[in-house]
């Protein structure tokens, strides 16, 4: 099983970066890059990425975690193969495997109806309602940078460090004390005691 990350033209490359680095380095997880097709894409920051596989070739039982980074594309329901992605997400969640969505990707989760009865967050409460008329989860919205509920991690685009911490917690990367230490370093610039 591997961590899978979806990439597409204009994906926000920095949002999953904290998580991916430690998932590989400290968690020893293999990362599989998934595209809607096998074609090379260019991130928002200009990185060219060639997917390892196309979305249609992903099997839910091969996924340890699915990461959906943000990007403007999510705001257009017709810009991605919605039924195909939602079917895969449903299979992944049914197998008790987590899905992590940050920034604009929370729109895809709302569009799929997965935030109507889960605690969640996004860029702001009105963002989901404006983008997804069928969204009915406002009562479960939390003004936090990252939220976990029943297999779904959601995060604001302002919370890539909190997003990473929630992923580490879910996959058991680092001990609890080391997660706190990591968070203090990357969020607050606080080095461990005795390190100069």
């Amino acid at each position: 099983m591997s961590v899978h990350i979806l990439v597409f033209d204009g994906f926000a490359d920095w949002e999953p970066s904290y998580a991916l680095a430690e998932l590989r380095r400290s968690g020893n997880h293999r990362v599989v890059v998934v595209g809607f097709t096998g074609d090379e894409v260019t991130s928002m920051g200009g990185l060219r990425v060639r997917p390892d596989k196309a979305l249609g070739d992903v099997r839910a039982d091969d996924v340890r975690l699915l990461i959906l980074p943000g990007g403007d594309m999510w705001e257009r329901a017709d810009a991605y193969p919605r039924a195909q992605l939602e079917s895969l997400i449903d299979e992944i969640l049914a197998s008790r495997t987590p899905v992590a969505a940050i920034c604009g990707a929370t729109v895809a989760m709302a569009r799929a109806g997965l935030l109507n009865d889960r605690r969640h967050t996004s860029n702001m409460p009105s963002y989901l309602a404006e983008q997804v008329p069928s969204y009915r989860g406002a009562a479960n919205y939390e003004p936090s940078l990252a939220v976990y509920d029943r297999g779904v991690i959601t995060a604001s685009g302002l919370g890539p460090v909190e997003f990473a911490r929630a992923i580490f917690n879910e996959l058991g990367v680092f001990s609890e004390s080391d997660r706190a230490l990591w968070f203090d370093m990357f969020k607050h610039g606080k080095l461990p005691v005795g390190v100069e």
Side-chain angles (χ1 to χ4, degrees), residues 69-99:
D72 296 337
M73 178 218 49
W74 296 118
E75 295 177 0
R76 299 183 322 274
D78 62 350
Y80 63 98
R82 180 178 166 189
Q84 185 181 39
L85 179 61
E86 290 179 5
S87 176
L88 177 62
I89 290 171
D90 287 344
E91 288 178 42
I92 289 169
L93 291 174
S95 67
R96 298 185 182 273
T97 298
V99 175

Side-chain angles (χ1 to χ4, degrees), residues 29-40:
H29 289 279
R30 181 172 170 259
V31 174
V32 173
V33 179
V34 179
F36 291 123
T37 69
D39 296 339
E40 183 178 276

Side-chain angles (χ1 to χ4, degrees), residues 162-184:
E162 288 79 3
F163 183 62
R165 179 176 60 178
I167 289 170
F168 301 157
N169 186 57
E170 179 64 11
L171 297 190
V173 176
F174 301 126
S175 65
E176 187 175 336
S177 61
D178 284 348
R179 272 195 305 274
L181 190 67
W182 180 92
F183 185 78
D184 277 345

Side-chain angles (χ1 to χ4, degrees), residues 22-84:
E22 295 299 347
L23 286 169
R24 288 191 70 233
R25 185 177 72 155
S26 300
N28 296 312
H29 289 279
R30 181 172 170 259
V31 174
V32 173
V33 179
V34 179
F36 291 123
T37 69
D39 296 339
E40 183 178 276
V41 299
T42 302
S43 74
M44 198 178 289
L47 298 176
R48 290 189 307 257
V49 180
R50 181 167 304 283
D52 298 312
K53 60 174 63 175
L55 184 65
D57 297 327
V58 176
R59 294 180 18 181
D61 56 1
D62 291 335
V63 178
R64 180 65 186 94
L65 166 79
L66 176 63
I67 297 176
L68 304 177
D72 296 337
M73 178 218 49
W74 296 118
E75 295 177 0
R76 299 183 322 274
D78 62 350
Y80 63 98
R82 180 178 166 189
Q84 185 181 39

